[in-house]
Amino acid sequence: MDFLKSAVASAIAKGSSFPYSLGDRVDISDSIWTLHNATKRDDASPCSVFTFDIASNKSRLPLAKNAVRKSRTLRHPGVIKVLDTIETDTNIYIITERVVPLSWHVKRRSLSEETSKWGLHTVATTLKFINEDASSVHGIVRASSVFTSESGEWKLGGFDVLSSMNDENAVIYTYGSLVPDAARYTAPEIVKSGWDIIKRNPLTAVDAYGLGILVFEVFNGNYTSDQAGKTTNVPPTMQQSYKRLCAANPKLRLSPAHFVEQGKKHGGFFQTPLIRLTDDIESLGLKNEAEREEFINELDELSDDFPEEFFKMKVLPELLKSVEFGGGGPKVLGAILKIGSKLSQEEFNSRLTPVIVRLFANPDRALRVCLLDNLPLMIDSLPQKIVNDKIFPPMTSGFTDAAPVVREQTVKAVLSVIGKLSDRTINGDLLKLLARTANDDQPGIRTNTTICLGKIAKNLGQNSRSKVLVAAFTRSLRDPFVHARNAGLLSLAATMEFFTEEDCAAKVLPAICPSLLDKEKMIRDQANKTLDVYLQRIRKFGDTMPETTVPASNSPETVKDTARIGTPHDKSWAGWAISSFTNKLTTANGEIEPAVNGAKPVEAEPARSASAPRPPKPTSSAPLDLLPSVAPRPVAQPLGRRSLSEQVVPNTNEVDETDEVYDAWGAMDDEDETKEGDPFSPTVTASSTPGPALAPKLAPVPYDDGGEPDFAGWLAAQSKAKKTLPKGLNKASSAVPAARSSSGNSILKPKTSTGSKKIDTKPKDDDLDDWGDAWD
């Protein structure tokens, strides 16, 4: 039957003329009303609708009409806010703010002690207003008459018998007994003498007794008529005052006003952070700095079991006003973000996001640092477009701020916002700004920049990532600040996956090696660890590479050449030098091919004794076109001597050959120059004349396979070139190793002459025994 009545009422309410849409029915006990969740059709705002069916409750119609009348006129923060009332021939509607019966929480025992005290304080304060200011009696104070709003606050309802004691014909005198389950909640004097006894007792007696019953219900979950005054589960600090509320003698009962007064005393049961917060929140904007700081400290003391709805609906708006317009400062902002972490995504976007965007544009440094510190708490709730377009641009001013703390916090905040920035912003503006902080005069900021780059490496673009990271980390390895160097080594180890093997070998390892001898042991140890990581990777990659990139050839000449320059089975470091020396004559067959590209063949040097020393190369510091028309002779192989038959004598009749050789080699690096007189280290003077990379091939010269050396003939040949043989050959020309081209021909490296000297061909008898000392 009740279901049918509810369906009929819902059908009526859904009529086109009814401005509210009824939703789910909410269970409510001990009441003449049916409660529905509803929404306003105009703006879809939430509300609640109390419905009274006239046809089925004609005897209680005066109670419903009294409730409508009192709801329209009674206004108090502790009273349910009424939006509208509608009366028809069949139903009476009271439309209020969205509420939930307190009996739901009471039956589930889901209320904490602090929240219960806070709610009882609100109800007692409201009853004080009704009794003293409105000179009225509520009459049915119980859990079923109290509701919780969307903000979690307790609201007093159930005004069915609310009556002014100035009214001689008040409803409570005539219809008080018609209230559902009145016998269980009625005060003992009314049970004994009826409702008229109210006139002869204190005005507050009835509501004080009802407040005592509410206290028992809140802390125990249920109530029977014989439990009034029992202190089960009632907080010890409240027990004495609670007993006086339930006193059998109405003249000895504690009024709601005195109950609040006793609770507010120092150390009283109503001296809680939550109650103090409620009292002070509305005047937060009027408080001075010291009072505001005290308020925020109390706010921080609140635990997580306090009603979140109250903070969202009541505390948060006041805090936002204070921080944005009232100079609330960083502490208030911290409280805002703490509350904001419990908001849903939709609530956060509507309430906090616009304020946060405006605060980032605020030039106050303390506020900016607080925003950056708390950015991790709110970044997940901020939309990506908002962060990239409206938050990051003003945030960039922190990279260049005069205060080091702002620069440092801005660098740290990059880790929070990096996931919300576009690739263009990251690889453009952000990297430019981090390049500035990498050169900051504060060593801590430089260190944090290196750490930041290591942690955001995966977010950088592939085209610039390797170049940026190598440049940044290798630079940090030269930083005078020890922790900056350590951060560079740690970052290199952590970001190794982003470098190619070529970068690891050519760029990273050379940069790490100097740190192996760092003055700080911490850096040396970390450098060894980082170096080991990179070496393992390079070695592993090297194992996958082919043994050689030279293409295989079936030509027997190539095989012989290979055998000449080294024995593959010889693993010693001197292997090829020895094998080259021993196989020199046996493996070199045939003739050296003539020069290509039109180069003129070089005439062979006259035969000389095998024991005779080679003549020195004339040197000259004159320009290239002023040099004598003598082509450079081929240089000797290191670690061994050639026989005279292997020497290639340049053609002395052509001046242009010298120019072609110099042009072929071009300028030489300083690394090719060694000390003069060392027979194992060639001395080469760099030419400033650029030229092609390869020299022209030389004409073939037959080998001399033996015989006594012709020392006199060699001297005669050198006299034609007008060269001077120094005493004891102590300025012998250094031998430059003869390289070979891929075809097996010799490629000669010229030596710059420093000037021609006159050769004395007359042997000196007293010095002949010293001629070979220079080769030892």
Side-chain angles (χ1 to χ4, degrees):
M1 188 66 181
D2 291 338
F3 173 76
L4 181 59
K5 293 178 181 178
S6 177
V8 172
S10 178
I12 296 173
K14 290 181 180 178
S16 58
S17 60
F18 195 73
Y20 301 93
S21 298
L22 296 185
D24 300 332
R25 177 178 174 179
V26 179
D27 292 332
I28 180 173
S29 58
D30 303 333
S31 177
I32 64 174
W33 299 91
T34 301
L35 179 60
H36 290 268
N37 290 329
T39 56
K40 192 175 181 180
R41 290 185 176 180
D42 291 346
D43 55 6
S45 58
C47 60
S48 293
V49 176
F50 290 85
T51 304
F52 178 78
D53 186 3
I54 297 176
S56 60
N57 289 288
K58 282 188 177 181
S59 61
R60 293 172 174 169
L61 182 58
L63 299 180
K65 288 185 176 291
N66 183 70
V68 171
R69 186 171 58 254
K70 296 298 182 181
S71 298
R72 288 174 179 172
T73 58
L74 190 62
R75 292 288 184 268
H76 188 270
V79 172
I80 294 179
K81 182 179 180 181
V82 176
L83 304 178
D84 195 4
T85 58
I86 300 175
E87 297 185 43
T88 65
D89 295 338
T90 57
N91 292 277
I92 296 176
Y93 303 100
I94 301 177
I95 298 91
T96 69
E97 59 181 318
R98 179 65 64 87
V99 293
V100 174
L102 178 65
S103 56
W104 282 15
H105 304 289
V106 169
K107 291 178 180 178
R108 290 198 300 265
R109 304 290 299 275
S110 61
L111 298 171
S112 66
E113 181 177 326
E114 293 298 318
T115 303
S116 298
K117 290 181 178 179
W118 173 59
L120 290 172
H121 173 266
T122 301
V123 173
T125 303
T126 305
L127 290 175
K128 174 186 175 183
F129 165 77
I130 292 174
N131 294 157
E132 295 184 358
D133 298 340
S135 301
S136 301
V137 174
H138 185 280
I140 52 173
V141 179
R142 60 183 80 168
S144 59
S145 299
V146 181
F147 300 83
T148 59
S149 65
E150 287 185 299
S151 62
E153 296 175 280
W154 290 19
K155 302 286 186 174
L156 187 60
F159 301 136
D160 301 345
V161 294
L162 178 62
S163 302
S164 173
M165 293 296 97
N166 297 326
D167 186 1
E168 293 292 335
N169 299 317
V171 172
I172 193 171
Y173 300 138
T174 307
Y175 300 99
S177 58
L178 296 179
V179 175
D181 210 4
R184 184 156 60 105
Y185 293 98
T186 303
E189 69 273 11
I190 296 176
V191 173
K192 182 178 180 182
S193 305
W195 288 95
D196 288 337
I197 197 67
I198 296 176
K199 298 177 181 179
R200 295 190 293 272
N201 290 324
L203 182 146
T204 60
V206 174
D207 290 340
Y209 189 84
L211 181 59
I213 294 174
L214 177 63
V215 170
F216 186 88
E217 284 184 300
V218 166
F219 290 109
N220 292 276
N222 198 2
Y223 169 77
T224 58
S225 57
D226 60 343
Q227 291 177 319
K230 292 186 177 179
T231 59
T232 306
N233 297 325
V234 177
T237 56
M238 190 184 291
Q239 288 181 1
Q240 291 298 326
S241 299
Y242 157 71
K243 287 181 179 179
R244 293 188 60 186
L245 289 175
C246 300
N249 187 348
K251 295 182 180 180
L252 298 179
R253 288 177 193 154
L254 193 67
S255 68
H258 288 135
F259 182 72
V260 172
E261 183 180 349
Q262 289 190 1
K264 285 283 192 172
K265 289 181 180 179
H266 181 70
F269 47 86
F270 283 155
Q271 284 291 328
T272 66
L274 187 56
I275 294 175
R276 287 195 297 267
L277 173 67
T278 306
D279 294 339
D280 296 340
I281 188 60
E282 294 182 358
S283 60
L284 179 61
L286 303 177
K287 295 181 181 297
N288 57 36
E289 186 175 351
E291 293 173 338
R292 189 184 302 114
E293 185 174 355
E294 182 181 359
F295 171 81
I296 297 302
N297 291 335
E298 291 183 353
L299 186 62
D300 292 338
E301 294 176 5
L302 299 179
S303 58
D304 293 334
D305 61 351
F306 293 138
E308 295 181 6
E309 296 80 6
F310 177 71
F311 286 95
K312 295 177 184 179
M313 303 293 293
K314 291 293 183 179
V315 179
L316 184 59
E318 296 298 329
L319 293 177
L320 291 174
K321 292 178 185 177
S322 175
V323 74
E324 194 169 5
F325 307 111
K331 281 201 168 184
V332 176
L333 178 61
I336 289 174
L337 297 178
K338 183 178 180 181
I339 297 172
S341 63
K342 300 179 180 181
L343 297 176
S344 64
Q345 183 63 50
E346 184 179 351
E347 291 173 334
F348 192 97
N349 290 338
S350 61
R351 298 184 183 182
L352 283 188
T353 298
V355 178
I356 292 173
V357 171
R358 292 194 295 269
L359 291 178
F360 264 102
N362 194 308
D364 185 87
R365 285 195 176 100
L367 193 60
R368 172 64 63 85
V369 170
C370 185
L371 281 169
L372 296 175
D373 283 341
N374 291 277
L375 201 54
L377 297 177
M378 57 183 172
I379 191 63
D380 292 336
S381 302
L382 292 171
Q384 181 176 1
K385 185 174 179 60
I386 294 293
V387 175
N388 189 78
D389 298 344
K390 296 184 178 181
I391 291 180
F392 184 74
M395 177 180 161
T396 57
S397 63
F399 287 98
T400 56
D401 194 86
V405 65
V406 178
R407 299 199 302 272
E408 184 172 7
Q409 291 304 122
T410 305
V411 172
K412 292 180 180 180
V414 170
L415 300 181
S416 299
V417 302
I418 190 69
K420 301 279 187 173
L421 300 180
S422 65
D423 293 340
R424 182 176 181 180
T425 302
I426 293 173
N427 298 288
D429 297 339
L430 180 60
L431 287 183
K432 292 178 183 178
L433 294 167
L434 289 177
R436 294 180 64 108
T437 55
N439 297 320
D440 198 275
D441 57 353
Q442 296 293 324
I445 296 177
R446 297 197 302 269
T447 304
N448 286 332
T449 301
T450 301
I451 296 172
C452 177
L453 280 172
K455 291 186 176 183
I456 68 171
K458 61 180 180 295
N459 301 100
L460 302 181
Q462 295 183 358
N463 296 332
S464 62
R465 177 167 53 199
S466 176
K467 181 179 179 181
V468 170
L469 295 182
V470 168
F473 297 157
T474 55
R475 183 189 182 104
S476 66
L477 296 182
R478 303 188 297 271
D479 197 293
F481 188 51
V482 59
H483 296 290
R485 301 198 297 276
N486 191 53
L489 291 170
L490 291 172
S491 298
L492 282 172
T495 58
M496 182 180 65
E497 61 181 300
F498 302 117
F499 304 132
T500 63
E501 285 75 10
E502 289 76 10
D503 286 340
C504 293
K507 299 178 181 179
V508 178
L509 284 180
I512 296 176
C513 288
S515 300
L516 297 173
L517 297 179
D518 195 275
K519 295 180 180 179
E520 300 291 335
K521 185 177 185 302
M522 177 179 70
I523 303 301
R524 296 196 298 271
D525 293 343
Q526 185 57 48
N528 277 284
K529 294 178 183 179
T530 305
L531 188 69
D532 290 342
V533 173
Y534 276 88
L535 284 177
Q536 290 176 9
R537 179 181 176 186
I538 293 174
R539 288 168 179 165
K540 185 177 180 181
F541 180 75
D543 293 340
T544 64
M545 298 176 67
E547 294 184 2
T548 180
T549 59
V550 178
S553 175
N554 296 327
S555 173
E557 290 79 2
T558 305
V559 175
K560 290 179 180 179
D561 250 358
T562 304
R564 176 182 177 277
I565 66 172
T567 305
H569 300 290
D570 192 348
K571 304 298 183 182
S572 66
W573 68 271
W576 83 239
I578 298 172
S579 64
S580 173
F581 179 77
T582 56
N583 296 325
K584 186 181 300 181
L585 299 180
T586 59
T587 59
N589 298 325
E591 296 181 353
I592 299 178
E593 296 181 1
V596 295
N597 298 331
K600 296 181 180 180
V602 181
E603 294 183 1
E605 182 181 334
R608 63 176 178 82
S609 173
S611 61
R614 295 182 181 87
K617 175 75 175 168
T619 59
S620 175
S621 58
L624 187 60
D625 54 352
L626 299 179
L627 290 176
S629 57
V630 178
R633 68 177 181 81
V635 293
Q637 288 278 359
L639 302 179
R641 304 173 184 171
R642 286 189 175 183
S643 64
L644 183 60
S645 61
E646 293 180 286
Q647 302 300 321
V648 180
V649 181
N651 187 357
T652 59
N653 297 327
E654 297 292 339
V655 180
D656 295 338
E657 292 295 325
T658 303
D659 296 336
E660 292 182 5
V661 172
Y662 277 100
D663 290 342
W665 283 95
M668 301 298 296
D669 295 331
D670 294 338
E671 295 178 357
D672 293 333
E673 299 180 3
T674 56
K675 294 181 180 180
E676 185 178 3
D678 186 358
F680 299 101
S681 301
T683 302
V684 180
T685 302
S687 171
S688 60
T689 307
L694 299 177
K697 297 182 180 179
L698 302 177
V701 178
Y703 286 94
D704 182 9
D705 58 351
E708 292 297 327
D710 186 4
F711 183 67
W714 177 79
L715 288 175
Q718 297 303 311
S719 64
K720 295 179 181 180
K722 302 183 185 302
K723 298 179 180 179
T724 302
L725 181 65
K727 180 181 179 180
L729 296 179
N730 53 4
K731 290 186 180 181
S733 61
S734 299
V736 179
R740 286 186 176 272
S741 66
S742 59
S743 61
N745 296 325
S746 297
I747 302 175
L748 301 182
K749 179 181 290 188
K751 180 177 180 182
T752 305
S753 62
T754 60
S756 62
K757 296 181 180 180
K758 186 177 293 185
I759 300 175
D760 185 4
T761 60
K762 182 179 179 180
K764 294 180 175 59
D765 296 337
D766 54 341
D767 294 329
L768 286 177
D769 294 335
D770 299 330
W771 73 270
D773 292 344
W775 299 96
D776 293 339

